[in-house]
């Protein structure tokens, strides 16, 4: 068992690999080389035996055969698969010329419009190919010119749109500034109006006071009331002047009962 785990084998100095006559299993046949491979269907196809549709990408265990045909030293391979419904044999080969595959036997390839147009172009002559390429080049040049013109027009429209947006923004800013100035001016006018009303009210009150005083000191005939001057001969009733304050200490007088030696009786306690 330990020999099976050895990674390196011993080869004697006189070992000759060419002397080994054993051939690998996939190379033992005398005909074309055939090996088993795992592949996917390269195109959608329909089985000619049972009508089963096989979609592109379905996996198969196929036999790969190397044919004797070549395309510019590129070998052509043939693949053998079985139908998933009737087990009929289906073969298809590689097509290096068109970089594709070609159904050979047992199935029919489904219709592909882009592939048919490519086959139509394959039958053209050299002159037709040159004419077609020249025509396509001219169409491409016209398309590029149209694209440039369209791009230029789009840029002009974008610039006009940006200018219009800028003008609208300037107008909005100007209007907002005008409205703000108007609000400030309105506040100032309102404050001035309030101040004028206060001044007018004060003047009106002063006039009313003057008018009331004038009516109070005016007789019915319109003469002003004169002030009576008091006679100096009349004695004035004035209060006696208060003595100046004294800071001398005054002794408290004792009660008379204490001076006579009479003692007060203590009140009997209620407890």
């Amino acid at each position: 068992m330990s020999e099976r785990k050895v990674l390196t084998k011993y080869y004697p100095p006189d070992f000759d690999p060419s002397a080994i006559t054993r051939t690998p299993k996939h190379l033992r046949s005398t005909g074309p080389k055939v090996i088993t491979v795992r592949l996917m269907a390269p195109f959608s196809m329909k089985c000619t035996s049972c009508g089963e549709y096989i979609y592109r990408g379905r996996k198969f265990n196929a036999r790969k055969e190397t044919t004797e045909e070549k395309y510019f030293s590129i070998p052509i391979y043939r693949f053998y698969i079985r139908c998933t419904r009737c087990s009929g044999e289906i073969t298809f080969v590689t097509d290096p010329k068109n970089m594709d595959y070609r159904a050979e036997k047992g199935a029919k390839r489904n219709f592909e419009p882009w592939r048919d147009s490519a086959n139509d172009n394959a039958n053209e002559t050299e002159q037709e190919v040159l004419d077609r390429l020249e025509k396509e080049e001219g169409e491409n040049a016209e398309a590029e010119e149209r694209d440039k013109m369209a791009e230029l027009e789009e840029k002009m429209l974008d610039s006009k749109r940006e200018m219009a947006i800028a003008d609208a923004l300037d107008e909005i800013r100007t209007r907002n500034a005008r409205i703000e100035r108007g609000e400030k001016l309105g506040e100032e006018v309102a404050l001035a109006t309030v101040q004028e009303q206060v001044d007018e009210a004060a003047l009106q009150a002063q006039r009313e006071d003057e008018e009331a005083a004038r009516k109070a000191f005016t007789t019915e005939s319109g003469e002003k009331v004169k002030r009576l001057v008091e006679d100096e001969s009349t004695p004035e009733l004035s209060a006696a002047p208060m003595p100046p304050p004294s800071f001398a200490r005054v002794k408290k007088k004792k009660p008379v009962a204490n001076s006579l030696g009479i003692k007060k009786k203590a009140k009997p306690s209620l407890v």
Side-chain angles (χ1 to χ4, degrees):
M1 294 296 291
S2 60
E3 185 182 356
R4 295 176 58 189
K5 299 181 180 179
V6 176
L7 298 178
T8 59
K9 303 289 186 178
Y10 172 74
Y11 294 99
D14 57 347
F15 175 72
D16 185 9
S18 61
I20 300 174
T21 58
R22 185 179 176 182
T23 309
K25 187 177 180 179
H26 65 280
L27 298 175
R28 288 177 187 176
S29 60
T30 56
K33 297 178 182 179
V34 178
I35 58 175
T36 303
V37 294
R38 183 76 171 172
L39 56 77
M40 292 186 292
F43 50 81
S44 299
M45 63 186 80
K46 178 183 178 182
C47 180
T48 55
S49 300
C50 62
E52 176 72 8
Y53 284 96
I54 301 172
Y55 58 87
R56 179 182 178 181
R58 187 157 189 174
K59 295 182 179 180
F60 291 94
N61 291 324
R63 289 182 293 118
K64 178 183 176 183
E65 179 186 359
T66 305
T67 63
E68 297 179 356
E69 299 178 7
K70 289 186 178 182
Y71 175 78
F72 293 116
S73 72
I74 299 174
I76 295 175
Y77 300 98
R78 182 179 286 110
F79 298 93
Y80 299 87
I81 62 174
R82 294 284 179 177
C83 177
T84 57
R85 183 177 179 184
C86 65
S87 298
E89 190 177 58
I90 300 172
T91 62
F92 55 88
V93 296
T94 58
D95 189 6
K97 182 179 180 181
N98 299 319
M99 294 180 293
D100 201 356
Y101 291 83
R102 184 177 72 253
E104 193 175 43
K105 186 178 67 174
K108 183 180 179 181
R109 187 166 183 168
N110 293 339
F111 175 72
E112 296 172 352
W114 58 89
R115 186 168 171 271
D116 291 345
S117 61
N119 291 334
D120 294 341
N121 294 335
N123 299 327
E124 293 178 348
T125 61
E126 293 183 1
Q127 187 63 31
E128 290 177 351
V129 171
L130 292 174
D131 295 340
R132 180 170 57 81
L133 293 176
E134 186 177 357
K135 184 178 179 181
E136 290 178 357
E137 186 177 357
E139 291 177 355
N140 293 335
E142 291 179 0
E144 289 179 1
E145 188 175 357
R146 284 197 299 271
D147 292 342
K148 290 181 180 179
M149 292 297 293
E151 186 177 358
L152 182 60
E153 290 178 358
E154 188 175 356
K155 286 182 179 179
M156 291 178 64
L157 291 174
D158 291 341
S159 61
K160 288 182 179 180
R161 194 180 301 111
E162 290 177 359
M163 291 175 64
I165 292 171
D167 293 341
L169 287 174
D170 291 340
E171 185 177 355
I172 291 171
R173 289 171 184 157
T174 305
R175 184 177 60 188
N176 291 341
R178 187 167 57 250
I179 292 171
E180 188 175 356
R181 286 198 301 272
E183 290 178 355
K184 289 182 179 179
L185 184 61
E187 292 177 358
E188 293 177 358
V189 171
L191 291 174
T193 305
V194 171
Q195 188 65 29
E196 290 178 359
Q197 291 177 358
V198 171
D199 295 342
E200 288 180 0
L203 290 174
Q204 184 68 21
Q206 186 177 358
R207 293 194 194 98
E208 290 177 357
D209 294 341
E210 290 177 357
E211 184 67 22
R214 188 180 62 78
K215 288 180 179 179
F217 293 101
T218 305
T219 59
E220 294 179 357
S221 60
E223 296 180 359
K224 289 185 178 180
V225 177
K226 294 182 180 180
R227 183 176 181 181
L228 296 175
V229 179
E230 294 180 355
D231 192 2
E232 296 179 357
S233 60
T234 56
E236 295 182 357
L237 297 175
S238 59
M242 293 182 67
S246 174
F247 298 99
R249 187 171 181 181
V250 180
K251 291 184 179 180
K252 259 186 176 183
K253 290 183 179 181
K254 294 182 179 180
V256 180
N258 292 341
S259 61
L260 297 176
I262 300 172
K263 295 183 178 180
K264 290 184 179 181
K265 291 182 179 181
K267 292 181 180 181
S269 61
L270 299 176
V271 180

